[in-house]
Amino acid sequence: MTQPRTIAANEDPVCGMKVDPDEARVNGLTLNHEGTEYAFCGKGCMLEFRDNPDRYLDSSYTPSM
């Protein structure tokens, strides 16, 4: 993996949408990966990330909805 990209606490790492981390947590839409909690806009993005986190954390990845 190349340099990891910077992801804001309120950014869905898959689609780039802004999310409320507290609301995502309440709705079960967060995952912890290597000590960092990521929040997601929906279950689809969360499952995509869960199955291949390195893809979405790579600096060459550009989020798109």
Side-chain angles (χ1 to χ4, degrees), residues 24-43:
R25 210 172 290 116
V26 167
N27 291 319
L29 295 173
T30 59
L31 287 175
N32 284 295
H33 177 71
E34 296 182 353
T36 301
E37 181 183 61
Y38 296 96
F40 302 90
C41 66
K43 191 172 184 178

Side-chain angles (χ1 to χ4, degrees), residues 3-45:
Q3 191 72 8
R5 71 184 179 94
T6 302
I7 301 166
N10 68 336
E11 177 188 352
D12 183 316
V14 176
C15 70
M17 231 175 116
K18 299 297 178 213
V19 295
D20 178 337
D22 292 329
E23 190 174 319
R25 210 172 290 116
V26 167
N27 291 319
L29 295 173
T30 59
L31 287 175
N32 284 295
H33 177 71
E34 296 182 353
T36 301
E37 181 183 61
Y38 296 96
F40 302 90
C41 66
K43 191 172 184 178
C45 284

